[in-house]
Every structure is written in C-alpha cells, then in structure tokens.
Amino acid sequence: RKLFTFLGTPVLGVASGLLLMAWGFVYEIFWTQAASVPEFLAGAALYGILLLGFELVHDLVDLALAPTRHALDLAPAGFGRALTVERPEWTGHKDFVPPDMARPRETGPLPTESVDTLVIGGGVVGCSVLYHLTKAGWKDVVLVERDILTSGSTWHAAGGFHTLNGDPNVARLQQYTVNLYKQIEAESGQNCGIHLPGGIQLADTPERLDWLRMAQARGRYLGMHMEIISVKEAKELNPLLEEKYFVGALYDEDEGSVDPHGVTHAYAICARNRGAEVYQHTWVNALERCADGTWNVHTFNPETGEAKGTINAEHVVNAGGLWAREVGRMAGLELPVLAMEHHYLMTEPMPEV
C-alpha cells in the first residue's frame, strides 16, 4: 500500500507528461514539421526521468517529515481572532468574545483509552459531527484537533449562507442549518454572530427567472421563506442595483452570515455539555486497523513532539479539512481533496444598503 502511494503520483505524472509530449510532437509534425520521431522519444524520455526524479524526492521528503512537520500550519490562530473583530460603526452584530480565551485548553495526556467514535479535526464540520452524535444519544465520543479549534480552514471562512440550491435535499439541509445556529447559540451561550438581512438572487434572462420561479415553488413546498419580486422591488432593497440589466429576482429572508469561529465553539460547548470530550494540541500521526475491526489512533503533541497516547475507536471520522487527504492515507485511502484559494470582500458601511 505504501509502495503504491509512493509510486502512484510519479507514475501518473510521467503518463500525463508523455501525453503532453505526444500532443506537442503531433503539432510539430503536422504543422511545423520541425520534430522527428527520435527527437520526440529522446525528449519524452528526458522529461519523464526528470519528472520521476522530482516526484521521488518529493515523496521521500513527504514520507520522512509527515509525522512531525509544521509546514502545514498555514493558519495561525491569531488570524482567526483578528478577522472576527468588528469595527464600532459596523452594526447588526453582537460583541464577539473569542471562546478559547475564556475556556481552558486540553493539553495534557489523553485520559480515554477506548471510545465509540473519534472525530479527527476541530473545524466547523468536525464539531458539527460531534454535536450531532451527542444529540443522537452517543456519549462515548471524542474529538482531537492538531492545534486549536478553527485553526484549519474554518478560521478564514466568510461565513455566508443561503437556502437556495438546485438540489432540494441540500436546500432543506441548509435551511435546517440556519435554524440550528439559533438553537446552539441559545443552548451554549456562545455568540454565533448571526446576521440575517435577507438576500436577493437576480435573474438577467427570462430563463434564469423561470429557474428562480421553480426554486421558489419548491422552497414553498419545503417550508422556506422565498418570494419572487420585480426588479423595482429589488432596487428598493438594494438601491445600488442597475435595473436595466435584470428581469426579476428571488428574495430569501433566510440569507446572511454567521461567525464561523463562534459557531464552531458553540457546537463544541453543546457537545461537551452532552458528555463529549475535545482535545486540542493533539495531532493524529497514525491509524492502525485492529483484528476486531476497530482502530488504534496514535497521537502526539505538535508543540513538544511527545506522544500523547493511543485511543482505540470503533468508528473514526475524517474531518481533517485541508489535511483530509493525509488522514485518508493513514487508512489506505487516496481522497481527491485539495485546498482551493478563496476570495471574499469586506466593505466599509454603505448607507444605501
């Protein structure tokens, strides 16, 4: 398995390189007639050797440093807290208090030796899984996080949400989540930064407007609060709108944003109150399948490099986010997961809206 993982990437890389070289060769032969078959074969072989050497060195370094490397720590926790600080003139939100400053962090040895379920990853997905397991009655559940909660991809999420979706099941799930934020905020006492100004989906063609009408009808059946409005009505809601470019709009009152940092901690607090355990500064560096089908999860403290202990779990949930692919490899799975660059805008207050 390790040999396949070790060689799989370079083999695929060489194959793709040969395909590119073949395309270039065909181009040269039929358009410029500047390349010969021996030249192509020599070039392809040299390219393949260089690529194979690069990939082998890359994988050797990756395998050697994977257990303890800190190069993956791309998101300092301080950044997450900085982005949740609002300027005084921004209205509509409550004051934010970073929860991890008020609550002690679990940094000592792991007291639990065997659990029903272990969740790897302390982002919003991992904490949501932990919360829903405890809500369903599961008591013996644990979450481990390599740094502190939200320090992966959750800390820089924009936090926007809406209920409009082409898949009715996903739309219903999104509506459930919007309502859930209010519940966990009340239950945990943790401010989730819920901001529900409503949102407008604009249609610039009659075909798009027909699709929005279909979505509105389906949303009404699912109990959602959507309404088809005219461009004039949309402009009353957003005076910056240029009416001449649109033919209609869909208004969704359940659209807005939340603070991902606060939501994650609200999930964690609710789960803790139901008996779950959360351990921060606990990096999983190996998964070992046992004869009885359970998993031994080996952990260490990334700050000291010392082993923190091994937990035996009947079920393991991979909520590693940016590191989900590395976690999957520990179980012999190659997951098609990679980090994508995101952009979002933060503006000064606009009186028009």
Side-chain angles (χ1 to χ4, degrees), residues 29-82:
I29 287 293
F30 290 98
W31 273 270
T32 68
Q33 298 182 356
S36 64
V37 172
E39 289 174 343
F40 163 70
L41 293 176
L46 179 61
Y47 180 82
I49 291 171
L50 291 175
L51 183 61
L52 178 61
F54 172 79
E55 292 289 353
L56 288 177
V57 171
H58 175 272
D59 282 358
L60 280 172
V61 173
D62 187 65
L63 290 173
L65 300 182
T68 57
R69 65 177 182 262
H70 291 266
L72 291 174
D73 294 334
L74 303 176
F79 268 69
R81 287 194 289 270

Side-chain angles (χ1 to χ4, degrees), residues 194-209:
I194 302 171
H195 187 52
L196 280 171
I200 304 171
Q201 298 282 340
L202 296 166
D204 58 348
T205 64
E207 292 76 17
R208 175 63 177 175
L209 185 58

Side-chain angles (χ1 to χ4, degrees), residues 241-258:
L241 180 68
E242 288 287 348
E243 296 180 67
K244 62 182 180 180
Y245 296 111
F246 304 100
V247 297
L250 173 69
Y251 174 70
D252 180 4
E253 68 177 56
D254 293 327
E255 187 168 329
S257 62
V258 293

